Amino acid sequence: EAEVAQSPRYKITEKSQAVAFWCDPISGHATLYWYRQILGQGPELLVQFQDESVVDDSQLPKDRFSAERLKGVDSTLKIQPAELGDSAMYLCASSSTGSTEAFFGQGTRLTVV
Amino acid sequence: QKEVEQNSGPLSVPEGAIASLNCTYSDRGSQSFFWYRQYSGKSPELIMFIYSNGDKEDGRFTAQLNKASQYVSLLIRDSQPSDSATYLCATGGGADGLTFGKGTHLIIQP
């Protein structure tokens, strides 16, 4: 069964350091999402790509977060510098064009110390 | 701004009973609704989606949508201990990202 791949699964980093997460969507899925989920909350959309283009990054803290999907396939989300409040689960999801159903990867649990 | 409201629980239900999970949404223009199940420490898993008013059944799960009342629910029949999880209600999808509620923590008591 096709899955969204994410790495790493877990990441511990010191505040002010840089950290990056990688996502490979289900093959053929043109839409890719990055969400952040703080413990006890629902996921919040950070950025949405359609192929290699950003469709929505209105909730992305652009002073420290960046995201790219250069070839329209896999994607990287970067935080620099990391802050204590960035500790959360970072989830990648994908969906096929014309579909509203999104499928999530296993997520990256980030702890900033 | 779209908002999705859920009672955070915990909702405790005896094994074998029907679990009823509820969700309201603010955007009257919302068209698509989703229920995700999330086990502790894991990522959300899509279990049901509904687009039209009325009921949609899939095995032990029934999703109900009432657009006039801006209300979505999920019924789980014959609840099992393995159904214990957080259930996230969401709307949107496609050109829009999903807007999630905070989730309802469901506990099935053996």
Side-chain angles (χ1 to χ4, degrees), chain B residues 26-54:
Chain B
S26 64
D27 184 0
R28 193 168 283 279
S30 294
Q31 298 293 318
S32 307
F33 303 89
F34 306 86
W35 284 100
Y36 284 81
R37 177 176 62 200
Q38 187 172 29
Y39 293 113
S40 180
K42 304 296 185 182
S43 63
E45 174 192 9
L46 180 63
I47 55 172
M48 289 286 289
F49 57 89
I50 187 167
Y51 306 140
S52 303
N53 271 332

mmCIF file of all heavy atoms in Angstrom, chain B residues 26-54:
data_model
loop_
_atom_site.group_PDB
_atom_site.id
_atom_site.type_symbol
_atom_site.label_atom_id
_atom_site.label_comp_id
_atom_site.label_asym_id
_atom_site.label_seq_id
_atom_site.Cartn_x
_atom_site.Cartn_y
_atom_site.Cartn_z
ATOM 1 N N SER B 26 -17.875 26.356 11.401
ATOM 2 C CA SER B 26 -18.333 27.747 11.303
ATOM 3 C C SER B 26 -18.625 28.198 9.875
ATOM 4 O O SER B 26 -19.479 29.065 9.663
ATOM 5 C CB SER B 26 -17.281 28.677 11.912
ATOM 6 O OG SER B 26 -16.072 28.613 11.162
ATOM 7 N N ASP B 27 -17.910 27.625 8.887
ATOM 8 C CA ASP B 27 -18.030 28.094 7.514
ATOM 9 C C ASP B 27 -19.185 27.394 6.816
ATOM 10 O O ASP B 27 -19.106 26.206 6.489
ATOM 11 C CB ASP B 27 -16.719 27.834 6.766
ATOM 12 C CG ASP B 27 -16.737 28.388 5.352
ATOM 13 O OD1 ASP B 27 -17.763 28.975 4.925
ATOM 14 O OD2 ASP B 27 -15.727 28.237 4.648
ATOM 15 N N ARG B 28 -20.258 28.159 6.557
ATOM 16 C CA ARG B 28 -21.437 27.565 5.937
ATOM 17 C C ARG B 28 -21.143 27.068 4.520
ATOM 18 O O ARG B 28 -21.869 26.247 3.977
ATOM 19 C CB ARG B 28 -22.560 28.603 5.934
ATOM 20 C CG ARG B 28 -23.926 28.058 5.609
ATOM 21 C CD ARG B 28 -25.018 29.076 5.913
ATOM 22 N NE ARG B 28 -25.303 29.174 7.333
ATOM 23 C CZ ARG B 28 -26.088 28.334 7.996
ATOM 24 N NH1 ARG B 28 -26.646 27.304 7.379
ATOM 25 N NH2 ARG B 28 -26.311 28.500 9.288
ATOM 26 N N GLY B 29 -20.070 27.560 3.921
ATOM 27 C CA GLY B 29 -19.709 27.130 2.575
ATOM 28 C C GLY B 29 -18.904 25.842 2.528
ATOM 29 O O GLY B 29 -18.585 25.345 1.449
ATOM 30 N N SER B 30 -18.578 25.269 3.676
ATOM 31 C CA SER B 30 -17.807 24.023 3.701
ATOM 32 C C SER B 30 -18.567 22.915 3.001
ATOM 33 O O SER B 30 -19.778 22.778 3.177
ATOM 34 C CB SER B 30 -17.505 23.618 5.148
ATOM 35 O OG SER B 30 -16.644 24.541 5.771
ATOM 36 N N GLN B 31 -17.849 22.135 2.192
ATOM 37 C CA GLN B 31 -18.474 21.096 1.388
ATOM 38 C C GLN B 31 -18.066 19.684 1.778
ATOM 39 O O GLN B 31 -18.828 18.741 1.601
ATOM 40 C CB GLN B 31 -18.115 21.306 -0.098
ATOM 41 C CG GLN B 31 -18.607 22.603 -0.680
ATOM 42 C CD GLN B 31 -20.124 22.637 -0.769
ATOM 43 O OE1 GLN B 31 -20.751 21.647 -1.144
ATOM 44 N NE2 GLN B 31 -20.706 23.773 -0.405
ATOM 45 N N SER B 32 -16.831 19.527 2.260
ATOM 46 C CA SER B 32 -16.287 18.193 2.510
ATOM 47 C C SER B 32 -15.906 18.058 3.970
ATOM 48 O O SER B 32 -15.337 18.985 4.558
ATOM 49 C CB SER B 32 -15.038 17.962 1.646
ATOM 50 O OG SER B 32 -15.316 18.228 0.293
ATOM 51 N N PHE B 33 -16.196 16.877 4.520
ATOM 52 C CA PHE B 33 -15.970 16.664 5.947
ATOM 53 C C PHE B 33 -15.304 15.310 6.149
ATOM 54 O O PHE B 33 -15.634 14.339 5.459
ATOM 55 C CB PHE B 33 -17.290 16.745 6.711
ATOM 56 C CG PHE B 33 -17.973 18.063 6.486
ATOM 57 C CD1 PHE B 33 -18.848 18.225 5.422
ATOM 58 C CD2 PHE B 33 -17.703 19.149 7.310
ATOM 59 C CE1 PHE B 33 -19.446 19.452 5.178
ATOM 60 C CE2 PHE B 33 -18.302 20.366 7.079
ATOM 61 C CZ PHE B 33 -19.166 20.520 6.006
ATOM 62 N N PHE B 34 -14.390 15.278 7.106
ATOM 63 C CA PHE B 34 -13.560 14.101 7.291
ATOM 64 C C PHE B 34 -13.462 13.757 8.771
ATOM 65 O O PHE B 34 -13.455 14.634 9.626
ATOM 66 C CB PHE B 34 -12.145 14.359 6.743
ATOM 67 C CG PHE B 34 -12.141 14.835 5.314
ATOM 68 C CD1 PHE B 34 -12.274 16.178 5.015
ATOM 69 C CD2 PHE B 34 -12.016 13.932 4.275
ATOM 70 C CE1 PHE B 34 -12.284 16.629 3.702
ATOM 71 C CE2 PHE B 34 -12.032 14.372 2.962
ATOM 72 C CZ PHE B 34 -12.168 15.714 2.681
ATOM 73 N N TRP B 35 -13.369 12.460 9.029
ATOM 74 C CA TRP B 35 -13.046 11.975 10.368
ATOM 75 C C TRP B 35 -11.726 11.206 10.292
ATOM 76 O O TRP B 35 -11.583 10.284 9.485
ATOM 77 C CB TRP B 35 -14.144 11.072 10.909
ATOM 78 C CG TRP B 35 -15.348 11.836 11.367
ATOM 79 C CD1 TRP B 35 -16.518 12.022 10.685
ATOM 80 C CD2 TRP B 35 -15.504 12.502 12.621
ATOM 81 N NE1 TRP B 35 -17.376 12.777 11.431
ATOM 82 C CE2 TRP B 35 -16.785 13.069 12.635
ATOM 83 C CE3 TRP B 35 -14.684 12.678 13.745
ATOM 84 C CZ2 TRP B 35 -17.274 13.805 13.702
ATOM 85 C CZ3 TRP B 35 -15.174 13.395 14.806
ATOM 86 C CH2 TRP B 35 -16.447 13.961 14.785
ATOM 87 N N TYR B 36 -10.784 11.636 11.131
ATOM 88 C CA TYR B 36 -9.502 10.960 11.251
ATOM 89 C C TYR B 36 -9.405 10.346 12.648
ATOM 90 O O TYR B 36 -9.843 10.942 13.631
ATOM 91 C CB TYR B 36 -8.337 11.940 11.059
ATOM 92 C CG TYR B 36 -8.073 12.355 9.629
ATOM 93 C CD1 TYR B 36 -8.827 13.356 9.022
ATOM 94 C CD2 TYR B 36 -7.065 11.750 8.888
ATOM 95 C CE1 TYR B 36 -8.573 13.742 7.705
ATOM 96 C CE2 TYR B 36 -6.801 12.130 7.573
ATOM 97 C CZ TYR B 36 -7.560 13.123 6.997
ATOM 98 O OH TYR B 36 -7.306 13.500 5.690
ATOM 99 N N ARG B 37 -8.784 9.187 12.721
ATOM 100 C CA ARG B 37 -8.492 8.546 14.005
ATOM 101 C C ARG B 37 -6.996 8.699 14.255
ATOM 102 O O ARG B 37 -6.181 8.474 13.354
ATOM 103 C CB ARG B 37 -8.869 7.064 13.958
ATOM 104 C CG ARG B 37 -8.552 6.277 15.208
ATOM 105 C CD ARG B 37 -9.052 4.846 15.071
ATOM 106 N NE ARG B 37 -8.401 4.153 13.966
ATOM 107 C CZ ARG B 37 -8.892 3.059 13.387
ATOM 108 N NH1 ARG B 37 -10.041 2.549 13.779
ATOM 109 N NH2 ARG B 37 -8.225 2.486 12.401
ATOM 110 N N GLN B 38 -6.640 9.054 15.479
ATOM 111 C CA GLN B 38 -5.239 9.241 15.818
ATOM 112 C C GLN B 38 -4.929 8.544 17.136
ATOM 113 O O GLN B 38 -5.417 8.937 18.191
ATOM 114 C CB GLN B 38 -4.885 10.728 15.901
ATOM 115 C CG GLN B 38 -3.396 10.994 16.090
ATOM 116 C CD GLN B 38 -3.029 12.456 15.990
ATOM 117 O OE1 GLN B 38 -3.838 13.336 16.310
ATOM 118 N NE2 GLN B 38 -1.815 12.740 15.532
ATOM 119 N N TYR B 39 -4.105 7.510 17.066
ATOM 120 C CA TYR B 39 -3.630 6.851 18.270
ATOM 121 C C TYR B 39 -2.503 7.692 18.863
ATOM 122 O O TYR B 39 -1.817 8.426 18.141
ATOM 123 C CB TYR B 39 -3.143 5.442 17.962
ATOM 124 C CG TYR B 39 -4.236 4.488 17.526
ATOM 125 C CD1 TYR B 39 -4.276 3.967 16.232
ATOM 126 C CD2 TYR B 39 -5.243 4.109 18.414
ATOM 127 C CE1 TYR B 39 -5.271 3.093 15.838
ATOM 128 C CE2 TYR B 39 -6.250 3.234 18.026
ATOM 129 C CZ TYR B 39 -6.257 2.735 16.739
ATOM 130 O OH TYR B 39 -7.260 1.870 16.345
ATOM 131 N N SER B 40 -2.308 7.557 20.162
ATOM 132 C CA SER B 40 -1.322 8.353 20.874
ATOM 133 C C SER B 40 0.066 8.194 20.249
ATOM 134 O O SER B 40 0.552 7.077 20.067
ATOM 135 C CB SER B 40 -1.279 7.933 22.344
ATOM 136 O OG SER B 40 -0.321 8.691 23.056
ATOM 137 N N GLY B 41 0.677 9.305 19.886
ATOM 138 C CA GLY B 41 2.020 9.293 19.318
ATOM 139 C C GLY B 41 2.083 8.943 17.842
ATOM 140 O O GLY B 41 3.174 8.893 17.271
ATOM 141 N N LYS B 42 0.928 8.683 17.235
ATOM 142 C CA LYS B 42 0.879 8.312 15.817
ATOM 143 C C LYS B 42 0.273 9.435 14.986
ATOM 144 O O LYS B 42 -0.201 10.435 15.509
ATOM 145 C CB LYS B 42 0.064 7.028 15.634
ATOM 146 C CG LYS B 42 0.563 5.858 16.444
ATOM 147 C CD LYS B 42 1.949 5.421 16.028
ATOM 148 C CE LYS B 42 2.381 4.166 16.767
ATOM 149 N NZ LYS B 42 3.761 3.758 16.401
ATOM 150 N N SER B 43 0.280 9.264 13.672
ATOM 151 C CA SER B 43 -0.278 10.275 12.784
ATOM 152 C C SER B 43 -1.757 9.992 12.527
ATOM 153 O O SER B 43 -2.236 8.877 12.748
ATOM 154 C CB SER B 43 0.499 10.293 11.464
ATOM 155 O OG SER B 43 0.368 9.058 10.798
ATOM 156 N N PRO B 44 -2.497 11.008 12.070
ATOM 157 C CA PRO B 44 -3.931 10.798 11.797
ATOM 158 C C PRO B 44 -4.159 9.828 10.639
ATOM 159 O O PRO B 44 -3.431 9.848 9.644
ATOM 160 C CB PRO B 44 -4.414 12.206 11.428
ATOM 161 C CG PRO B 44 -3.414 13.142 12.024
ATOM 162 C CD PRO B 44 -2.112 12.426 11.922
ATOM 163 N N GLU B 45 -5.196 9.018 10.769
ATOM 164 C CA GLU B 45 -5.575 8.033 9.769
ATOM 165 C C GLU B 45 -7.002 8.332 9.325
ATOM 166 O O GLU B 45 -7.915 8.384 10.154
ATOM 167 C CB GLU B 45 -5.484 6.629 10.361
ATOM 168 C CG GLU B 45 -5.994 5.528 9.457
ATOM 169 C CD GLU B 45 -6.147 4.209 10.206
ATOM 170 O OE1 GLU B 45 -6.014 4.201 11.440
ATOM 171 O OE2 GLU B 45 -6.419 3.194 9.549
ATOM 172 N N LEU B 46 -7.221 8.511 8.032
ATOM 173 C CA LEU B 46 -8.553 8.806 7.512
ATOM 174 C C LEU B 46 -9.458 7.586 7.636
ATOM 175 O O LEU B 46 -9.110 6.499 7.160
ATOM 176 C CB LEU B 46 -8.448 9.231 6.049
ATOM 177 C CG LEU B 46 -9.759 9.580 5.343
ATOM 178 C CD1 LEU B 46 -10.423 10.794 5.986
ATOM 179 C CD2 LEU B 46 -9.524 9.831 3.856
ATOM 180 N N ILE B 47 -10.615 7.769 8.300
ATOM 181 C CA ILE B 47 -11.526 6.646 8.444
ATOM 182 C C ILE B 47 -12.854 6.873 7.732
ATOM 183 O O ILE B 47 -13.515 5.920 7.330
ATOM 184 C CB ILE B 47 -11.771 6.274 9.925
ATOM 185 C CG1 ILE B 47 -12.262 7.467 10.739
ATOM 186 C CG2 ILE B 47 -10.520 5.682 10.546
ATOM 187 C CD1 ILE B 47 -12.705 7.091 12.143
ATOM 188 N N MET B 48 -13.277 8.117 7.591
ATOM 189 C CA MET B 48 -14.554 8.392 6.933
ATOM 190 C C MET B 48 -14.509 9.775 6.293
ATOM 191 O O MET B 48 -13.853 10.680 6.805
ATOM 192 C CB MET B 48 -15.719 8.384 7.919
ATOM 193 C CG MET B 48 -16.119 7.034 8.471
ATOM 194 S SD MET B 48 -16.990 6.019 7.266
ATOM 195 C CE MET B 48 -18.549 6.876 7.143
ATOM 196 N N PHE B 49 -15.238 9.930 5.181
ATOM 197 C CA PHE B 49 -15.465 11.261 4.638
ATOM 198 C C PHE B 49 -16.918 11.337 4.171
ATOM 199 O O PHE B 49 -17.531 10.314 3.819
ATOM 200 C CB PHE B 49 -14.507 11.590 3.496
ATOM 201 C CG PHE B 49 -14.545 10.614 2.354
ATOM 202 C CD1 PHE B 49 -15.433 10.788 1.306
ATOM 203 C CD2 PHE B 49 -13.687 9.530 2.326
ATOM 204 C CE1 PHE B 49 -15.464 9.892 0.247
ATOM 205 C CE2 PHE B 49 -13.703 8.630 1.281
ATOM 206 C CZ PHE B 49 -14.604 8.806 0.238
ATOM 207 N N ILE B 50 -17.477 12.527 4.186
ATOM 208 C CA ILE B 50 -18.870 12.716 3.790
ATOM 209 C C ILE B 50 -19.018 14.070 3.133
ATOM 210 O O ILE B 50 -18.420 15.055 3.585
ATOM 211 C CB ILE B 50 -19.815 12.539 5.010
ATOM 212 C CG1 ILE B 50 -21.281 12.574 4.581
ATOM 213 C CG2 ILE B 50 -19.526 13.564 6.096
ATOM 214 C CD1 ILE B 50 -22.236 12.082 5.676
ATOM 215 N N TYR B 51 -19.781 14.109 2.051
ATOM 216 C CA TYR B 51 -19.970 15.348 1.310
ATOM 217 C C TYR B 51 -21.439 15.781 1.274
ATOM 218 O O TYR B 51 -21.735 16.963 1.093
ATOM 219 C CB TYR B 51 -19.488 15.190 -0.139
ATOM 220 C CG TYR B 51 -18.082 14.702 -0.292
ATOM 221 C CD1 TYR B 51 -17.762 13.784 -1.291
ATOM 222 C CD2 TYR B 51 -17.071 15.150 0.533
ATOM 223 C CE1 TYR B 51 -16.460 13.329 -1.451
ATOM 224 C CE2 TYR B 51 -15.764 14.691 0.384
ATOM 225 C CZ TYR B 51 -15.464 13.785 -0.605
ATOM 226 O OH TYR B 51 -14.177 13.334 -0.765
ATOM 227 N N SER B 52 -22.352 14.823 1.418
ATOM 228 C CA SER B 52 -23.773 15.121 1.251
ATOM 229 C C SER B 52 -24.511 15.006 2.567
ATOM 230 O O SER B 52 -24.132 14.219 3.441
ATOM 231 C CB SER B 52 -24.402 14.140 0.254
ATOM 232 O OG SER B 52 -23.735 14.190 -0.990
ATOM 233 N N ASN B 53 -25.590 15.765 2.691
ATOM 234 C CA ASN B 53 -26.439 15.658 3.867
ATOM 235 C C ASN B 53 -26.934 14.229 4.036
ATOM 236 O O ASN B 53 -27.197 13.521 3.064
ATOM 237 C CB ASN B 53 -27.657 16.577 3.736
ATOM 238 C CG ASN B 53 -27.395 17.954 4.280
ATOM 239 O OD1 ASN B 53 -26.584 18.143 5.182
ATOM 240 N ND2 ASN B 53 -28.078 18.932 3.729
ATOM 241 N N GLY B 54 -27.045 13.804 5.286
ATOM 242 C CA GLY B 54 -27.566 12.470 5.566
ATOM 243 C C GLY B 54 -26.505 11.592 6.191
ATOM 244 O O GLY B 54 -25.574 12.089 6.829
#
